[in-house]
Amino acid sequence: MNTKVSTLLLFFLSSLSAVFGQFKEAKDVSMEELMLETQFTTENPDKMSMIWWIPFEFWEVSNAQDPTASFDEIAALKTMLEGYEVLAVVEGDIGYFGGITYDTKENVLNSTQIEYKGEMLLQVSEKKINSDLANFFSMMKPMVVNMFGPMGENMHFVFFENNNKSTVLPIDPKSSETVTFTLGTYVKEVTLPLNSMLLEKKCPIDKSLHSGKWSYCPFHGEKLIAQ
C-alpha cells in the first residue's frame, strides 16, 4: 500500500479510537478557538441559521482570563445556570441581493432543539427563568449585538433543562459524548470533547504540536506525545 495512504489511514483510525489527552486549565484555553468550536452556521446559501452553544465552561474561561472578574461572580453564575443549557440562536432567509429577513422569535424558539445522550432536552419557558439570570442575559445582549451586528439584534437566548424521563445535564464539553443541535432544518452533530480544551500533543520528529484528539502525527505517522 502507498506509504502516504497508509499514514492517512493510520491517522484516521487512530483519531476514531484515540484516548484523549490532558485538559487545559481555563486560563490557558483560547477563547477564540472555544467560540469557533461552539458557533455553528448552516451552509445553505439561502438561509442564515446560526446556533451558539454557551456551555458553563465558556464563563469559566472568560472569568479566568479577566483580571477584573471575581470568584464570587463565577460562583453566583454557576448557581444560577445549574440545571440549564443555553443557546443563542438566529435564523432568517437570505434574499437575492444578500439582504436577510429574520424569522420571528416565536418561530425560532419553536424550531430549536438539543439532543444529548439519546434524550431530547426540554425548552424552558421564559416565565420560569430566575429574574436574576434573565437580567444577566439581558445585559449580555449589547455584547452580542457588538459581536454580530444586525444578526446579534435578532439573536435569541434559549434555555433547556432535563426532560421528565432522564437526567443527563450538564452537557460536558470534556466528555466523549455526542450532542445534536437543531434549528429548523439545520442540524449540527458535535462530537466531544471540544478540541480547544485539550492540551496539544507533540510530534517526536519535528516537535510540532497537534490536536489533543489525535494519536498520530498526520505528517510523519509517529505516535504523538502527551505534554
Side-chain angles (χ1 to χ4, degrees):
M1 184 183 291
N2 181 281
T3 302
K4 185 175 182 180
V5 174
S6 299
T7 300
L8 289 173
L9 179 60
L10 179 63
F11 163 62
F12 176 72
L13 293 176
S14 65
S15 295
L16 293 178
S17 59
V19 175
F20 302 122
Q22 299 297 313
F23 293 98
K24 297 177 180 177
E25 294 184 26
K27 64 181 179 62
D28 298 321
V29 173
S30 166
M31 179 60 79
E32 181 180 0
E33 290 182 17
L34 176 58
M35 292 188 69
L36 285 173
E37 279 194 288
T38 52
Q39 293 176 5
F40 319 111
T41 306
T42 181
E43 295 181 359
N44 184 340
D46 299 319
K47 295 287 291 186
M48 163 50 69
S49 300
M50 179 179 174
I51 302 169
W52 178 16
W53 172 36
I54 314 177
F56 176 70
E57 285 74 8
F58 169 84
W59 304 110
E60 284 188 318
V61 171
S62 178
N63 181 272
Q65 298 179 11
D66 181 356
T68 67
S70 70
F71 174 80
D72 290 342
E73 289 176 351
I74 194 66
L77 186 57
K78 183 175 184 178
T79 299
M80 288 192 297
L81 286 172
E82 188 171 358
Y84 292 134
E85 287 295 331
V86 185
L87 301 182
V89 293
V90 59
E91 187 166 52
D93 295 316
I94 301 176
Y96 186 82
F97 294 104
I100 302 175
T101 302
Y102 291 99
D103 209 345
T104 65
K105 179 178 180 179
E106 181 181 9
N107 287 344
V108 170
L109 266 57
N110 286 340
S111 65
T112 304
Q113 297 178 328
I114 302 177
E115 181 179 356
Y116 183 57
K117 293 185 177 180
E119 297 289 340
M120 298 300 298
L121 302 184
L122 286 179
Q123 194 173 129
V124 183
S125 166
E126 289 185 336
K127 296 179 181 179
K128 188 178 176 181
I129 301 298
N130 175 285
S131 59
D132 208 20
L133 183 59
N135 188 55
F136 173 79
F137 277 90
S138 292
M139 292 189 296
M140 266 196 69
K141 188 68 175 181
M143 181 193 79
V144 171
V145 173
N146 186 55
M147 288 172 60
F148 299 105
M151 187 170 68
E153 294 176 357
N154 292 276
M155 193 169 281
H156 310 289
F157 293 110
V158 194
F159 295 81
F160 289 85
E161 62 184 357
N162 288 302
N163 61 35
N164 298 321
K165 298 186 299 180
S166 183
T167 300
V168 296
L169 293 181
I171 298 175
D172 183 3
K174 297 179 180 179
S175 73
S176 57
E177 299 287 346
T178 297
V179 56
T180 303
F181 302 101
T182 300
L183 175 58
T185 59
Y186 176 50
V187 179
K188 177 64 178 181
E189 185 176 279
V190 180
T191 301
L192 303 171
L194 294 179
N195 189 61
S196 57
M197 294 189 168
L198 285 166
L199 281 172
E200 292 81 4
K201 293 179 181 177
K202 184 182 296 184
C203 173
I205 302 300
D206 62 5
K207 311 304 179 185
S208 59
L209 298 178
H210 297 280
S211 169
K213 284 188 174 184
W214 299 349
S215 290
Y216 291 86
C217 175
F219 304 107
H220 302 101
E222 296 291 329
K223 188 174 179 63
L224 295 171
I225 302 170
Q227 298 189 79

